[in-house]
Amino acid sequence: MTFAELLADLAPLNQDAPLIFMTNGREIGPGYHVTELRHSVSTGIDCGGQVETWDEARLQLLDGPGDAHMSVAKFRQIIDRALGKLPVLADTSFVVEFGPDNAALTIMTVGAPRARKAKVVLPLVHSRAVCKPAQRQSATLSCCGSNKAVTPAAECCA
């Protein structure tokens, strides 16, 4: 999901409703705060030897004490302000960095917001490592320099 897509998904929802981030079936506390939106360009090489360069964006949340979750409108204002200063963030896929009690920062992906009673819920899902050649689902790519065929179910670099 991109920030532009998230803003579009949030637009028709109740702007006065509290925005609740959820992970592992639990709500992130009401004192969370958006500490950073970041854009970077990364270059890497995968286990099949392919070099790639891509844009990535991050939304970092700080856990903290509080009495009420921020509203959908306030969250949208924060994102809008950031996009005004860093427009490249708008169309870049992003991940969320969060750690309960600000420990063990975890990288998560975000799901589509859902209106649930008098609140808006934004689900966070833990990320995991993937084998990019397997992800590309090409049986002709080699894995870790071998001639081993790569399929999504294959163990790469095992």
Side-chain angles (χ1 to χ4, degrees):
M1 175 175 295
T2 67
F3 286 113
E5 291 168 338
L6 178 58
L7 289 176
D9 287 349
L10 289 170
L13 303 175
N14 179 354
Q15 299 301 294
D16 295 325
L19 182 63
I20 313 292
F21 286 91
M22 294 209 46
T23 182
N24 293 330
R26 296 178 58 191
E27 292 183 5
I28 289 177
Y32 78 83
H33 143 149
V34 176
T35 60
E36 182 179 30
L37 279 84
R38 182 177 346 131
H39 173 265
S40 59
V41 177
S42 293
T43 301
I45 185 167
D46 65 31
C47 62
Q50 185 166 336
V51 175
E52 293 180 291
T53 300
W54 64 93
D55 289 313
E56 54 185 29
R58 293 175 186 255
L59 165 69
Q60 189 176 82
L61 299 175
L62 180 73
D63 202 359
D67 297 324
H69 290 86
M70 76 172 68
S71 68
V72 171
K74 179 171 175 111
F75 180 80
R76 289 185 66 222
Q77 286 174 333
I78 292 167
I79 302 303
D80 277 332
R81 192 175 321 124
L83 298 184
K85 293 186 180 207
L86 285 174
V88 69
L89 285 170
D91 297 316
T92 303
S93 293
F94 74 95
V95 295
V96 175
E97 297 177 331
F98 176 76
D101 300 319
N102 300 311
L105 194 63
T106 303
I107 297 172
M108 297 178 242
T109 58
V110 63
R114 302 184 303 264
R116 199 186 274 175
K117 296 186 181 176
K119 58 188 174 184
V120 173
V121 174
L122 198 54
L124 300 177
V125 179
H126 289 277
S127 298
R128 64 184 192 95
V130 297
C131 173
K132 286 189 175 184
Q135 195 176 43
R136 286 189 286 272
Q137 298 182 9
S138 173
T140 60
L141 287 175
S142 66
C143 184
C144 302
S146 71
N147 290 328
K148 179 178 175 182
V150 177
T151 63
E155 287 188 38
C156 189
C157 305

